[in-house]
Amino acid sequence: SMSAKEYRKPTLILDNLISYKILIIFSMVYMSIMICNAVLTNKYIGSDKFFILGGTLTSPFIFILDDIVAEIYGYKITRCMILSGFAAQTLFTLICQIVILAPSPSFFKAQTAYAHILGLSLLRINFSGFIAYISANLINSYILTQWKILLKGKKFWLRSLGSSAFSEIIYSGIAILFMEIHTIPLKTVLKIIGLSYLIKITYSIAFAGPAQVLVTYIKKRTGIDVYDLPKKFTPFEYLNQEKNI
């Protein structure tokens, strides 16, 4: 028969089931935005003189979600979400290539449209943005969580703005340069990078307040507030040191 201790263990997990539900919701939204970002990059928005990539309107939300998840669940969970997200996007891209290359009946007239949006251009966007996406998002989450320790968990909105301002310029510069250098003149690419960065910073400023409110609510609702302390300064060693004083 099951002991009382063994019986209580799953109950403790179920008591905080809301924390798992919230993380799943964030992950699903995160993945949706990633796919939108990849697909919409092929769409230019603006005029002949000033235009941006369609993904510019969605990519800022990736950094905002990175910050929220990192603040609540810590860097390790966020890193897993980032790497898993890129792996899932790559799977989506590869599946699109297989379906597009599959034979179609003669009456199907949309093959060219599918191939233009979800074909080799999507494959190029996915892999050319790999370095930018992985490096920028991991740096963003790492900076936020380290500043959290220094500021003792306070001023999430300010830490989010600071980390995003630094990491988004890395993302915009590397991603847009790799994706568009073969199709657009370098001068135009640099203009797109500058305009895209300005839009992303505007997003970060606009959503800093709402993100702070959401983070505060979730922390209180779930009781989860992870600190990525260095190993030599773990809470257990800190408590042991306090006892020895």
Side-chain angles (χ1 to χ4, degrees):
S1 60
M2 186 179 294
S3 66
K5 184 178 181 180
E6 291 174 331
Y7 181 76
R8 285 196 300 269
K9 189 175 181 180
T11 304
L12 293 175
I13 296 176
L14 292 176
D15 285 344
N16 203 14
L17 188 60
I18 183 66
S19 65
Y20 295 93
K21 289 182 178 180
I22 291 174
L23 182 58
I24 290 172
I25 291 172
F26 279 141
S27 299
M28 294 298 101
V29 175
Y30 187 85
M31 195 64 253
S32 298
I33 295 174
M34 279 198 64
I35 293 177
C36 286
N37 188 38
V39 173
L40 295 177
T41 294
N42 281 318
K43 172 71 167 70
Y44 295 166
I45 299 176
S47 62
D48 291 345
K49 292 184 177 180
F50 296 99
F51 63 90
I52 58 173
L53 309 181
T56 300
L57 300 180
T58 57
S59 62
F61 290 109
I62 293 178
F63 288 90
I64 294 171
L65 283 171
D66 275 347
D67 290 345
I68 293 174
V69 174
E71 178 69 12
I72 300 169
Y73 295 94
Y75 176 73
K76 291 182 179 179
I77 292 294
T78 310
R79 181 179 60 191
C80 180
M81 184 178 72
I82 291 170
L83 297 176
S84 299
F86 181 79
Q89 179 179 283
T90 301
L91 178 61
F92 167 78
T93 303
L94 293 176
I95 291 175
C96 287
Q97 308 313 306
I98 294 172
V99 173
I100 288 172
L101 292 174
S104 303
S106 59
F107 61 81
F108 183 69
K109 305 300 181 183
Q111 177 67 21
T112 302
Y114 270 93
H116 180 69
I117 301 299
L118 301 175
L120 292 178
S121 61
L122 180 62
L123 191 65
R124 174 178 55 81
I125 288 171
N126 182 70
F127 286 105
S128 64
F130 170 75
I131 297 176
Y133 173 75
I134 296 297
S135 59
N137 285 272
L138 289 178
I139 289 172
N140 177 66
S141 301
Y142 184 78
I143 292 175
L144 181 84
T145 53
Q146 292 304 298
W147 281 357
K148 181 179 181 179
I149 297 172
L150 294 175
L151 296 179
K152 300 179 180 179
K154 299 178 181 178
K155 299 187 183 300
F156 165 74
W157 65 270
L158 182 61
R159 289 185 282 113
S160 178
L161 281 176
S163 61
S164 296
F166 179 75
S167 56
E168 283 179 350
I169 189 62
I170 296 176
Y171 178 82
S172 297
I174 297 177
I176 296 176
L177 186 64
F178 281 13
M179 292 176 186
E180 303 298 328
I181 191 62
H182 298 296
T183 57
I184 301 175
L186 179 59
K187 184 178 179 180
T188 305
V189 170
L190 295 178
K191 187 185 297 184
I192 294 174
I193 291 174
L195 187 57
S196 298
Y197 180 67
L198 180 61
I199 292 174
K200 291 170 183 175
I201 289 299
T202 302
Y203 270 60
S204 297
I205 295 173
F207 286 95
Q212 173 74 73
V213 173
L214 181 60
V215 164
T216 302
Y217 171 77
I218 294 176
K219 283 181 179 180
K220 291 181 178 180
R221 183 71 176 82
T222 64
I224 295 179
D225 189 6
V226 175
Y227 281 77
D228 293 283
L229 296 168
K231 291 183 178 180
K232 62 181 179 180
F233 290 121
T234 62
F236 299 104
E237 291 187 9
Y238 176 79
L239 291 175
N240 289 333
Q241 290 175 3
E242 286 290 304
K243 292 178 181 178
N244 294 330
I245 295 178

